Amino acid sequence: MPTSATCLLTTFLRAAASEPDRSQNVIKSKIHHCQHHGENGAIVKPTGAEGGEDQSVENVFDVSIVLPHQPYHIQVPVSLQGQVQDLRSAIVEQPGTFQYTCFHLEHNGQRINDFTELSDVKGLAASSEIRLIEDPYTEREARMHVVRVREIIGAAGNRVDLLNGVDAGLSLHENVAPWSGSDVGSAAKQKSANSKMTADANPLSDFRFDTPASIQTLLPPNQEPSPKPIKGLSVSPWNPPPPACRQRGHLLYLQLTTNEGEQFQITSHLSGFFVNRSSNSKFDPLPKTSPKNAMAHSLLTLIQILSPSFSDAFNKLIEANNKRDPLAVFQLTSAIPSNPWLVSASSASGTAHQPDLTRTQETYLLSGVENTETLRDWNEEIQSTRELPRETVQDRVFRERLLAKIFAEFNDAAAKGAALVARGEVAPLNPTESKDAQIFVYNGIFYSFGADGVGTFTSEGGDEAARIAVGKDVAGVKMVNQLDIPGLATPGTIIVDYLGKRLVAQSIVPGIFKQREPDEPQVDYGGVEGKDVVADNEAFMPTLSQVSKAMKVKQHPVWDKEGKKHVLEGSVETKGLLGTDGRKYILDLYRLTPLDISWLDAYWVDDMSHAQKPQERNYPHRMSVLRPELVDAYWRVKMSEYVKAELDKRKDDKNEGISGERPDHQDQKSVGETADPQINGTSDAETNGLETAKDRGRVDISAFSFSLNPDVFCGQVPQTAEEKEEWAKDEREVRAVADHLHQRIIPEFIHDLEEGEVGFPMDGQSLSRLMHKRGINIRYIGKLASLTKEGGPRMQALKALAEQEMIARAFKHVANRYLKNLPTAMAPSCIAHLLNCLLGTETNHSPKAQLDEDLQYLYQDADYSFADTTPETLQTDVEAQTQLRYRYTLEDSWMSGVRRAQLLREIALKLGLQLIAKDYCLPPESESRSSDLASTVNGSATQSPINGHAINGTNGNSGKRKKKRNNGDSSPISATTLTTLEIPLTFVADDIINIVPIVKDSSSKSVLAEEALEAGRISMMQNQKELGQELLLESLSLHEQIYGILHPEVARVYHQLAMLYYNLDEKDAAVELAHKAVVISERTIGIDSDETILSYLNLSLFEHANHNTAVALACQRHALELWKIIYGPDHPDCMTTYNNAAVMLQHLKFFHESRVWFEKSHAISEQMSGKDSISTATLAFQLAQALALDQDHKGAVNRMREAYSIFHHKLGPEDRNTKEADSWLDQLTVNAVSIAKHAKDIQAQRVRRALFTPRVTLRTQPQAPVGRSSTDGMNGHVPHSAESLDNRSIDELMKYIESSGDATRKTPTKKRKNPRSRRAQPSL
C-alpha cells in the first residue's frame, strides 16, 4: 500500500522535472491532485540522468481495465517504465476493485506476464483496453485472499508483537490544526479562517512561556471506533480439509459472523467461496441449499450477499478512512515504526485489546499448515540481490529497491527474534556453555550476546569491550555496505538492546559452522586467534584493497607469535572467510580506524596482573577508536595543505621565470584565485575542492596519499630497523589525528555553538548526533561540559544538556547491570524502583521496591540486588559511571539542577520504555525554569489516593478493591503484591506499560538517490536552478521508489525539497511536501524528535507564506509545546521561533499579542547573545516597531534608541543599518511628540493611523537545523548578507495602515530592509 500511494506523485514530479519550464504549474496542481488520488497509479521506474531527456509526459497515460463485475470499466494511469506488478497493485487498491486478488491480465487476447515491464507489452498505448480475467484459487492464493479481505473490512484487529509497541507509528499531524484538506490552497477559505480568529482566541492566546509542558501534546485524542461491517471472520475449526474434500477442490474452511448475528460456515473452493452445510458440531462441506445458498469468486462479494447491513457499514468504514491522511494510516513496511515513550491510559488499558480469534491463526494463513512458506535463507537473498546487474540506471534502481526491501524485512525479523532470545523463549544451540557464551538460531538468523563469553576480549576490557566491539562492528558493516564493492560480501547484521542485554543478529554465512581440519585455520584471512595466528589469502587482497582505500586504511605488516610477517589490507582483527557458496565474506569490522591513543594514554592501563587500577586510569575498556568522520576531516586538512603547497610551488617557479612556459592568462588568474582552495567542512567539499584546484590551478593530486595504520598501539612488534622506523611513522600519524581532535575539532565545535554558527541541539540525541557528525566520540562529552563551565549563557545551556545526557547514559548502564540478570516479569519493578530513587525522591525520600513474593519464589536464582538500591547509592553509582566513562565530575548538588522531565524522557528512549501518560509530579528545576510534565490524561485529572501518587505496594486502588484482593479475588501472581508499607511512590511497576527493543542496523543508503540529491544540491549552489530542481525531483522519485514512502530518508528529502520550493516562491508545493515530511517524521523518527519539531516549524513558515496563518500558528504552538517537553523553556535558538510567531500575529493585526512575543524574543537574545550584540539590536529594532503599533510610543523610542546605539558602536556611523535606525528613531521621536501634543484626540482614527508598520520586516525565518549553519541573523555576529532597514516616510506608512493590510504595494518605491530580514538558505 505505501508504494502505490507514491505512484502519482512520482509520475508528476518526474514529468515536471523533464519539462523545467512547466514545473511551476505542474508541481502546484499535480502534487495536490496526488493527495486524493495517490492510490490509483502505478510506480514508475526512473530513467535517471541518462534517459531523463527522453522521459516525457507522453510516457504516462491512462489505460482502460475491463472487469468481469461492476463497475465493469476503470481507468488507471500507467507508465511504460512501470512493471505489470505495479499495474496489478494499482488495480486492487481502487475502491471498486478491492475484491480482486487472484487474476491475470490480457491485452489483445494475449496473457500478460506478471513479471515483465509494461514497455514489453506489444501495442500498449493510451486508451488501450486490458481485460482482467479471474483465475482459479490455489490454497496459498485463498489464504492470501482471506488475509486481504480481513484487512480491508477492518476485521484484522490490533496486532501485538515485541518490536512494535503501544501506538507504534503514531502521527499527531491530523489533530494539530483543522486542516482543510482539498481547500488548503483556497485563498478564500484561508482568509475566512484567519478572520475568524481574535486576539483572545488564537492558537497562541493561552500559551505561557514558563509554564510546565503538557503531556497532552504527545497524546492522540480519543477517536470514535471505526464502523464494523461484520462481527467476525476466522478460520473454521474444521480445517484443514480431509483428503476426500481436498480432491474435490476444497482449500480451507471459514467461519463468518455477520452484524445480524447469523453465523455461516464457508468453503474456499478452487472456483471461489460458497456457504456450506456445516455447523459448529457437524461437518458437511457441501453447498448449502436455498435460501442461504450463495457463491462468489471473491469472499468480499459473498459477505455482501449474506449480510444486508454489510454494504452500508463498509461504505461508512471507507468514508471514515478517507477522512484521514493516507500517510498517517498506511502500514509501515520499509522502516521500524517509532514507539512513543508516553502512551495514553486508554491505549495502555486492557480495553484497547479487542478479541480476534484469527489473530492466533495468522501464522497459518500466511505460512500454511507446515509453516514453511515464510522460512527464508536471509543470507542468500541478501547476497544474490547484491549480485544483480548494475550496468544501467534501471538496473541500479531495481537492485537498490530490492536491497532496501530485503534489509527492512531482515531487520524486522531479526529484531523480533532477538527480543525472544532475550526473554528466554529460544533454546540455545550450546546449553552447557555459560549464559554469555550461548548462541541461538531462530527463523534462519544467528544470535549471540554482546558479551565476552569465551574470553576473546579479556585483555581489552572483557564484557565492556565486547559490548562496544559489536556496536562498532555494525557501524563497520554499514560503512562497507555503503561502499557496495562488487565481489565482497557482508552478512546482514543488527544489534538489539533489550532488557539490559545486547544481542547480535546476523544472517548465517555458509560454512561458518563448518569444522575444519586441525591444521587448517578457521578463517581464511586476518587474525585467527587474536594476534597469535594470522592467515593470508591473496583472493581477498583486490576487494579488501578497495575497502582500505575508501576507508583510508594503510596496507601494513603484522607479525604472528612466531615473528612471521604478514601484509594485511585491514586491521588484524578483520577476518575474511571463504563461504561454502564461493563468496568472500568480511567479518569483525570493529576496528576500521585506529585506536584513540590520546584517550588511552590518559585513562587506560594494561592490567595483565589483575591488580587494582589507579582511579585515573580505570577506563572500562580498550576499544576506544577514532571516528571515521574525524579521519575524513583530517584527510581534508592534509589534502588542503598538499594543494596549497603545490600552488605555492608553482607560483615560485613562475616567479623564477622558468623558460619554455608560455604565459597563460587563465592559469595566472587561477593561481591567485585558488590560493586558499575550498577543501573543508561540507560533505561535497572534497569533490568541490579538487574540481576547483583542477579547473583553476590544475593541480595533479595523483601523488597525494593519506592512510592510517589501524594496528598501531595494539601490541605488534616490528622485527627490522626499517620496519620499526615505518611503524614509528605510522604511530606519529595516528597521534596527529588524535591531536587534531583536541586542538581543532573540539574547539571549533564549541566555538560554533557559542557563536550561534550552527543550530543548537535540542536534546541528548541531537547532541550525540552532532558530535558524531563532527568526528567527536561520546566519551568526550565530559570534556565538552568542562570546557563550557566558564562560558556564557549558550555554553551554560550546552553544559546542562551535556550533563543531562551523561546522567541518562550513566543511569542506563546502572539499570542494565540490574536488568541483565532479572526475569522479564520483574523488569517493571526494577525500573520503577530505580526511577523512584533518581527522580521520585521529592515524593518519597526512601522508596522501597515493589517485589512480588510469588515471582520471587518462582525465580529464586534471580538477582534482586536492585531492591537494595537507595537514592544515595544510586546517586553514587551515577556519579561513578559519569566519572568512569566520561571523566567528568558532577557537582554535589547536580540533582537539584537537573531537568527531571527531560531526563525521564532521555532514560525512556535509551531503555525503550513506554510509560503511562500521567502526572508524575516531578519537581521543576527551579521556580523560574519549570519544565516538568504536569498535565491531565485525556482532559481529566488522574485520580490517586495520596496527592496524586500511587501507594507503595498498591496501584492507588480504593479500599474496596484492596479488600477484594485480600480475599483472594485477584490473580495470585501480581506485579503489585503488597510487600512494604503504604508510602507514596512517584513510579509504580504498572506505570511501565511496555519495553521495546532498541535496534541499530547496518542497512546502507541508496547510492543512486544520494548521487541525485548531491548533484541537485551542487547545482542549486551554483545557481543552476532548473537543473538543480530537476535533479532534486529525480532524487525524490528515487527515494520513494527505493525506500517506500514511509521512511526517514524520504521524510528528509521531502523536508529539503519543501525548503527549496519555498525559496523558489512555490508556496503550494512547499506546503504539500512539508505536510508529508511532518507525518513521515512523526511515524518513523518520533512524534517529539528534534527533526519532527523542525519540520513543524518550517511547515508553519510555509503555511504563513501561503496566507494560512491560522494553521501556521497552530503548528507553531505544537512545535513549541514539543520543544518544552524535550528541552524545557528558553532554548537558545527559540528566539527565531518566537520572532516568527510575533510576525504572524502582527500580520493578523494582533498588535499587543505580537508585542509580547517580540519582547520575549528580545529578552532571550539579551540573555543568550548579550545586550550589545547585533542580534539584540536587530530585535530591538523590530520590537520598537511592535511597540509603536501597540501605541507605546515612549517604549518604541527607547528601543529604537537602543538599536541605534548598538549599531553605531558595533558597525560605525556610516553603516547603512546605523543610518536606517537613526532615520527611524527621528521619525518615531517626531511621531511621539506629535501624539503627545494631540493627547485630547488620541482616540481619533486619523491620529491612530499615523503609526508605523514594519511591513517590510514582516519576514519569518526558517529555523536552523541542529548542527547546520544558522541563517536567521540571530547569532550575535554581523551577517554577510545583512540588508538595510526600512526607510519609508510616515505618509507611505499611513497609506499602508489605512488600506486593508494587503502586503502588495501598488506604487513601487525603493525598499530598504532591516538586517533581520534575511533570505534563508535551503537546508539541503
Side-chain angles (χ1 to χ4, degrees):
M1 294 176 73
T3 52
S4 64
T6 67
C7 53
L8 234 57
L9 178 61
T10 299
T11 302
F12 291 133
L13 290 181
R14 286 187 46 75
S18 64
E19 297 184 82
D21 56 322
R22 297 181 51 207
S23 61
Q24 179 175 354
N25 296 328
V26 171
I27 290 299
K28 284 184 176 180
S29 60
K30 298 305 184 181
I31 295 183
H32 180 68
H33 175 78
C34 175
Q35 185 177 11
H36 306 285
H37 303 87
E39 299 200 22
N40 300 340
I43 294 177
V44 295
K45 288 176 83 174
T47 58
E50 297 175 3
E53 295 181 358
D54 297 330
Q55 175 75 10
S56 64
V57 181
E58 284 70 22
N59 287 335
V60 182
F61 50 84
D62 287 347
V63 296
S64 177
I65 308 298
V66 181
L67 306 173
H69 309 290
Q70 289 184 348
Y72 299 113
H73 287 85
I74 61 170
Q75 297 290 321
V76 175
V78 298
S79 168
L80 291 180
Q81 279 70 42
Q83 296 189 357
V84 177
Q85 283 287 349
D86 301 325
L87 175 59
R88 288 177 60 96
S89 299
I91 293 173
V92 300
E93 294 301 334
Q94 298 215 31
T97 53
F98 279 150
Q99 68 268 29
Y100 298 107
T101 61
C102 185
F103 62 89
H104 71 270
L105 301 174
E106 291 184 358
H107 180 249
N108 293 335
Q110 299 294 320
R111 179 165 181 161
I112 301 176
N113 191 321
D114 291 340
F115 302 97
T116 61
E117 293 188 1
L118 289 172
S119 58
D120 296 332
V121 180
K122 294 182 179 180
L124 185 63
S127 302
S128 294
E129 281 195 355
I130 295 179
R131 187 171 298 275
L132 186 149
I133 307 297
E134 294 176 332
D135 287 337
Y137 287 96
T138 63
E139 185 201 350
R140 182 181 183 280
E141 290 282 359
R143 287 189 279 107
M144 294 301 104
H145 183 81
V146 173
V147 170
R148 173 167 172 77
V149 169
R150 277 173 44 83
E151 291 179 348
I152 290 175
I153 65 178
N158 60 311
R159 291 182 173 88
V160 180
D161 60 50
L162 296 175
L163 181 60
N164 300 326
V166 181
D167 288 338
L170 175 68
S171 173
L172 302 174
H173 170 267
E174 295 173 302
N175 311 114
V176 169
W179 313 112
S180 51
S182 60
D183 295 323
V184 167
S186 171
K189 291 271 186 177
Q190 295 157 359
K191 189 172 182 180
S192 175
N194 293 343
S195 63
K196 290 180 181 179
M197 289 192 301
T198 64
D200 296 327
N202 66 79
L204 297 179
S205 58
D206 60 342
F207 182 83
R208 299 296 179 265
F209 296 103
D210 297 321
T211 56
S214 171
I215 59 173
Q216 282 298 121
T217 308
L218 299 179
L219 304 180
N222 289 329
Q223 295 181 349
E224 293 293 329
S226 300
K228 289 288 186 181
I230 61 173
K231 287 187 176 180
L233 176 64
S234 61
V235 177
S236 170
W238 297 114
N239 272 292
C245 296
R246 192 162 56 243
Q247 287 296 104
R248 294 199 294 268
H250 293 199
L251 303 176
L252 69 155
Y253 303 120
L254 307 173
Q255 183 172 292
L256 168 70
T257 305
T258 66
N259 284 341
E260 291 80 10
E262 293 186 276
Q263 188 177 88
F264 297 93
Q265 299 285 337
I266 298 176
T267 298
S268 173
H269 190 263
L270 295 173
S271 59
F273 297 83
F274 61 83
V275 179
N276 61 43
R277 301 177 183 176
S278 298
S279 65
N280 289 334
S281 58
K282 178 184 176 181
F283 178 67
D284 187 354
L286 297 178
K288 194 169 186 176
T289 57
S290 178
K292 292 296 182 179
N293 61 329
M295 179 176 181
H297 187 268
S298 171
L299 178 60
L300 192 67
T301 306
L302 179 62
I303 298 174
Q304 188 174 0
I305 297 172
L306 297 176
S307 175
S309 64
F310 174 80
S311 296
D312 291 339
F314 185 48
N315 290 333
K316 290 180 181 179
L317 176 64
I318 294 177
E319 292 176 2
N321 291 336
N322 288 339
K323 291 179 181 178
R324 301 199 61 188
D325 188 335
L327 294 180
V329 296
F330 280 164
Q331 182 180 354
L332 278 79
T333 58
S334 57
I336 296 176
S338 171
N339 295 294
W341 65 280
L342 282 179
V343 295
S344 64
S346 59
S347 298
S349 65
T351 57
H353 192 56
Q354 299 298 320
D356 181 16
L357 179 63
T358 313
R359 186 188 295 120
T360 58
Q361 301 170 343
E362 280 191 344
T363 302
Y364 160 68
L365 290 174
L366 294 173
S367 307
V369 177
E370 303 297 332
N371 195 26
T372 57
E373 294 182 19
T374 57
L375 294 180
R376 304 169 64 174
D377 186 342
W378 294 105
N379 189 76
E380 180 60 31
E381 288 189 40
I382 292 172
Q383 309 310 332
S384 59
T385 303
R386 282 179 175 153
E387 294 167 355
L388 288 174
R390 60 177 87 180
E391 283 75 20
T392 66
V393 174
Q394 289 86 350
D395 290 340
R396 293 179 65 185
V397 171
F398 179 76
R399 175 179 176 272
E400 292 188 3
R401 180 181 177 183
L402 190 56
L403 265 178
K405 178 178 181 294
I406 290 175
F407 271 117
E409 293 171 350
F410 171 80
N411 295 341
D412 182 82
K416 292 176 179 177
L420 290 174
V421 171
R423 296 171 67 92
E425 305 287 348
V426 181
L429 298 180
N430 51 344
T432 59
E433 301 286 344
S434 65
K435 189 172 182 179
D436 288 342
Q438 290 177 350
I439 57 177
F440 309 81
V441 172
Y442 180 78
N443 197 15
I445 301 172
F446 173 74
Y447 296 93
S448 60
F449 289 105
D452 191 23
V454 296
T456 304
F457 297 94
T458 301
S459 61
E460 308 291 331
D463 288 345
E464 288 280 358
R467 184 182 182 92
I468 296 298
V470 296
K472 297 293 184 184
D473 182 39
V474 170
V477 173
K478 189 181 186 100
M479 288 187 288
V480 173
N481 287 344
Q482 191 65 45
L483 297 177
D484 200 13
I485 297 173
L488 187 63
T490 57
T493 308
I494 69 167
I495 58 173
V496 177
D497 291 326
Y498 185 59
L499 296 175
K501 308 174 185 69
R502 171 163 287 188
L503 292 104
V504 187
Q506 294 178 305
S507 61
I508 301 176
V509 176
I512 195 169
F513 295 124
K514 178 183 177 182
Q515 292 294 328
R516 304 196 180 192
E517 298 296 329
D519 57 343
E520 187 180 3
Q522 291 298 310
V523 297
D524 300 288
Y525 187 86
V528 180
E529 300 175 4
K531 301 181 288 290
D532 293 340
V533 179
V534 181
D536 292 317
N537 193 318
E538 292 296 328
F540 283 89
M541 297 297 284
T543 51
L544 285 181
S545 63
Q546 299 179 56
V547 176
S548 299
K549 183 178 180 181
M551 299 300 300
K552 303 169 182 62
V553 175
K554 182 178 181 179
Q555 186 186 72
H556 62 281
V558 296
W559 297 266
D560 57 23
K561 61 182 179 181
E562 298 177 355
K564 183 180 178 181
K565 179 179 178 181
H566 304 267
V567 179
L568 298 180
E569 285 288 350
S571 167
V572 69
E573 307 292 348
T574 301
K575 299 173 178 58
L577 178 69
L578 284 174
T580 54
D581 57 358
R583 298 185 177 100
K584 294 186 284 290
Y585 292 88
I586 181 172
L587 310 171
D588 293 351
L589 299 173
Y590 53 82
R591 271 239 322 265
L592 290 177
T593 55
L595 294 174
D596 185 356
I597 190 57
S598 63
W599 181 271
L600 294 177
D601 283 347
Y603 305 118
W604 169 268
V605 62
D606 290 327
D607 184 25
M608 303 305 296
S609 62
H610 301 283
Q612 183 68 31
K613 291 185 179 182
Q615 184 174 359
E616 64 276 7
R617 303 287 297 278
N618 65 341
Y619 194 67
H621 61 82
R622 200 176 184 272
M623 297 303 298
S624 305
V625 298
L626 301 173
R627 289 197 62 83
E629 297 90 343
L630 175 64
V631 176
D632 291 339
Y634 190 74
W635 179 90
R636 289 192 291 268
V637 171
K638 301 297 289 185
M639 170 62 80
S640 179
E641 293 175 354
Y642 175 82
V643 172
K644 186 175 181 180
E646 289 294 313
L647 292 173
D648 291 343
K649 180 180 178 181
R650 178 179 301 171
K651 185 176 181 180
D652 293 340
D653 292 342
K654 288 185 177 181
N655 291 338
E656 294 175 3
I658 300 177
S659 59
E661 182 179 359
R662 186 176 63 182
D664 186 281
H665 178 71
Q666 182 177 357
D667 287 344
Q668 291 175 359
K669 181 179 179 181
S670 65
V671 170
E673 291 176 344
T674 60
D676 186 15
Q678 302 295 318
I679 305 179
N680 50 35
T682 60
S683 59
D684 57 312
E686 301 172 19
T687 303
N688 289 346
L690 300 185
E691 289 180 355
T692 301
K694 290 184 70 176
D695 293 341
R696 297 180 180 178
R698 307 200 60 82
V699 175
D700 183 9
I701 62 171
S702 60
F704 174 78
S705 65
F706 171 80
S707 57
L708 297 175
N709 184 346
D711 285 325
V712 294
F713 308 111
C714 293
Q716 293 293 329
V717 183
Q719 303 297 311
T720 66
E722 182 180 355
E723 292 171 350
K724 293 179 180 179
E725 181 180 354
E726 183 67 21
W727 202 260
K729 180 182 177 182
D730 293 344
E731 290 181 345
R732 289 194 298 271
E733 197 70 55
V734 172
R735 286 190 182 274
V737 178
D739 292 340
H740 181 69
L741 172 65
H742 293 272
Q743 297 171 6
R744 182 169 175 178
I745 298 296
I746 293 179
E748 287 182 354
F749 177 81
I750 295 176
H751 175 270
D752 289 346
L753 289 177
E754 183 174 19
E755 297 298 324
E757 297 289 345
V758 296
F760 200 87
M762 297 183 187
D763 60 355
Q765 287 185 326
S766 57
L767 175 60
S768 303
R769 190 168 60 247
L770 179 57
M771 290 177 62
H772 288 163
K773 185 177 180 180
R774 293 292 189 99
I776 306 172
N777 302 85
I778 287 296
R779 59 179 172 269
Y780 286 104
I781 192 172
K783 182 173 183 177
L784 292 180
S786 299
L787 293 175
T788 57
K789 282 185 177 180
E790 305 300 327
R794 289 181 70 89
M795 290 296 93
Q796 293 307 307
L798 178 60
K799 173 177 171 290
L801 191 58
E803 286 183 346
Q804 175 181 293
E805 179 68 5
M806 287 187 284
I807 294 169
R809 288 175 176 266
F811 180 88
K812 178 190 72 172
H813 287 290
V814 174
N816 285 341
R817 186 178 67 206
Y818 292 123
L819 289 171
K820 182 178 180 181
N821 299 314
L822 269 182
T824 303
M826 296 299 292
S829 297
C830 174
I831 294 171
H833 179 62
L834 295 178
L835 289 176
N836 281 324
C837 291
L838 181 70
L839 301 174
T841 53
E842 295 293 327
T843 302
N844 188 334
H845 293 286
S846 301
K848 303 298 182 183
Q850 290 179 303
L851 293 177
D852 190 304
E853 295 178 355
D854 296 321
L855 289 178
Q856 280 186 286
Y857 178 78
L858 290 174
Y859 296 99
Q860 296 184 18
D861 296 335
D863 181 7
Y864 298 102
S865 58
F866 75 88
D868 300 328
T869 303
T870 65
E872 293 75 19
T873 59
L874 180 60
Q875 183 172 340
T876 301
D877 287 343
V878 169
E879 292 172 354
Q881 289 291 325
T882 304
Q883 174 62 35
L884 176 67
R885 298 179 184 278
Y886 312 113
R887 300 296 145 172
Y888 185 77
T889 303
L890 294 169
E891 299 175 358
D892 294 337
S893 59
W894 60 270
M895 274 304 300
S896 61
V898 73
R899 294 188 289 258
R900 300 198 178 200
Q902 285 70 39
L903 180 58
L904 174 62
R905 174 181 177 271
E906 294 288 353
I907 290 172
L909 293 177
K910 286 174 172 52
L911 292 176
L913 307 181
Q914 288 192 289
L915 307 173
I916 190 170
K918 70 177 185 181
D919 179 9
Y920 289 106
C921 294
L922 301 178
E925 177 189 1
S926 65
E927 290 296 324
S928 62
R929 191 175 173 81
S930 173
S931 58
D932 53 332
L933 295 177
S935 179
T936 58
V937 178
N938 296 329
S940 60
T942 305
Q943 299 296 323
S944 302
I946 298 181
N947 298 328
H949 301 289
I951 303 302
N952 191 16
T954 75
N955 286 323
N957 298 286
S958 64
K960 182 178 179 181
R961 176 66 176 259
K962 189 170 68 174
K963 182 176 180 180
K964 287 184 178 181
R965 263 201 203 126
N966 293 337
N967 290 335
D969 274 354
S970 62
S971 171
I973 299 180
S974 169
T976 57
T977 302
L978 290 176
T979 59
T980 57
L981 298 176
E982 294 185 357
I983 303 175
L985 290 175
T986 302
F987 300 92
V988 294
D990 288 346
D991 291 335
I992 315 299
I993 296 301
N994 191 28
I995 303 176
V996 295
I998 306 298
V999 181
K1000 299 179 182 178
D1001 62 65
S1002 59
S1003 307
S1004 59
K1005 295 182 180 180
S1006 166
V1007 177
L1008 185 61
E1010 291 297 318
E1011 287 175 355
L1013 181 61
E1014 191 66 19
R1017 288 172 175 167
I1018 296 173
S1019 299
M1020 295 302 296
M1021 286 189 293
Q1022 295 174 347
N1023 205 30
Q1024 300 178 5
K1025 293 185 178 180
E1026 290 189 358
L1027 176 60
Q1029 180 179 344
E1030 180 179 356
L1031 290 170
L1032 290 171
L1033 289 172
E1034 184 71 13
S1035 174
L1036 173 62
S1037 171
L1038 292 170
H1039 275 86
E1040 289 177 332
Q1041 294 178 72
I1042 292 171
Y1043 295 115
I1045 195 169
L1046 293 175
H1047 194 278
E1049 294 300 323
V1050 177
R1052 295 180 182 112
V1053 173
Y1054 276 142
H1055 176 81
Q1056 296 170 12
L1057 204 57
M1059 183 63 72
L1060 165 70
Y1061 282 117
Y1062 170 74
N1063 289 330
L1064 294 177
D1065 206 29
E1066 297 281 352
K1067 298 183 178 62
D1068 288 337
V1071 167
E1072 292 291 343
L1073 293 172
H1075 276 287
K1076 299 182 190 309
V1078 165
V1079 177
I1080 301 173
S1081 295
E1082 285 183 321
R1083 300 196 64 194
T1084 60
I1085 305 175
I1087 57 175
D1088 59 349
S1089 70
D1090 62 296
E1091 293 185 55
T1092 300
I1093 293 175
L1094 182 63
S1095 295
Y1096 266 113
L1097 291 174
N1098 282 343
L1099 173 59
S1100 171
L1101 179 73
F1102 305 155
E1103 289 281 11
H1104 172 67
N1106 208 27
H1107 310 292
N1108 198 2
T1109 306
V1111 171
L1113 289 176
C1115 293
Q1116 286 272 346
R1117 172 66 179 265
H1118 185 70
L1120 289 171
E1121 293 287 357
L1122 292 177
W1123 216 335
K1124 278 187 180 182
I1125 289 175
I1126 75 170
Y1127 180 84
D1130 298 348
H1131 184 275
D1133 285 349
C1134 67
M1135 65 184 97
T1136 302
T1137 303
Y1138 292 166
N1139 188 79
N1140 287 346
V1143 169
M1144 294 175 189
L1145 291 169
Q1146 200 175 79
H1147 175 80
L1148 296 173
K1149 297 191 180 300
F1150 299 158
F1151 295 132
H1152 179 71
E1153 290 70 21
S1154 174
R1155 164 188 176 167
V1156 173
W1157 286 81
F1158 274 126
E1159 288 175 338
K1160 183 62 175 178
S1161 180
H1162 180 261
I1164 295 178
S1165 181
E1166 285 187 331
Q1167 177 187 355
M1168 294 296 172
S1169 303
K1171 294 185 178 182
D1172 296 331
S1173 66
I1174 298 299
S1175 65
T1176 301
T1178 305
L1179 286 173
F1181 180 90
Q1182 287 188 315
L1183 178 56
Q1185 296 174 325
L1187 292 172
L1189 288 171
D1190 198 31
Q1191 302 191 32
D1192 185 354
H1193 310 291
K1194 182 178 179 180
V1197 171
N1198 291 335
R1199 290 302 184 187
M1200 190 60 70
R1201 183 177 292 112
E1202 292 177 11
Y1204 169 75
S1205 299
I1206 297 173
F1207 286 143
H1208 187 275
H1209 176 68
K1210 294 285 187 179
L1211 307 179
E1214 299 302 320
D1215 187 86
R1216 60 179 180 176
N1217 296 327
T1218 306
K1219 293 180 179 180
E1220 299 296 349
D1222 184 36
S1223 175
W1224 274 83
L1225 178 60
D1226 291 342
Q1227 296 183 49
L1228 283 171
T1229 303
V1230 171
N1231 191 57
V1233 172
S1234 175
I1235 289 179
K1237 290 180 180 179
H1238 298 279
K1240 294 181 180 180
D1241 300 326
I1242 195 64
Q1243 300 300 326
Q1245 185 73 12
R1246 179 181 61 83
V1247 177
R1248 286 209 319 269
R1249 288 177 176 175
L1251 301 176
F1252 293 90
T1253 176
R1255 186 182 65 79
V1256 175
T1257 66
L1258 291 180
R1259 294 288 299 277
T1260 52
Q1261 306 296 326
Q1263 185 72 39
V1266 174
R1268 297 286 182 88
S1269 297
S1270 176
T1271 57
D1272 57 15
M1274 304 284 280
N1275 45 26
H1277 67 282
V1278 182
H1280 296 293
S1281 60
E1283 300 173 357
S1284 61
L1285 304 177
D1286 195 339
N1287 191 33
R1288 288 176 294 160
S1289 66
I1290 294 178
D1291 293 336
E1292 292 173 322
L1293 294 169
M1294 287 178 61
K1295 290 180 180 178
Y1296 168 71
I1297 296 173
E1298 291 171 352
S1299 67
S1300 62
D1302 190 356
T1304 305
R1305 300 181 66 176
K1306 298 181 180 179
T1307 305
T1309 58
K1310 184 178 180 180
K1311 294 188 294 184
R1312 299 185 183 180
K1313 302 177 183 178
N1314 78 58
R1316 184 64 183 83
S1317 177
R1318 297 179 57 200
R1319 187 67 172 176
Q1321 298 299 320
S1323 300
L1324 297 179

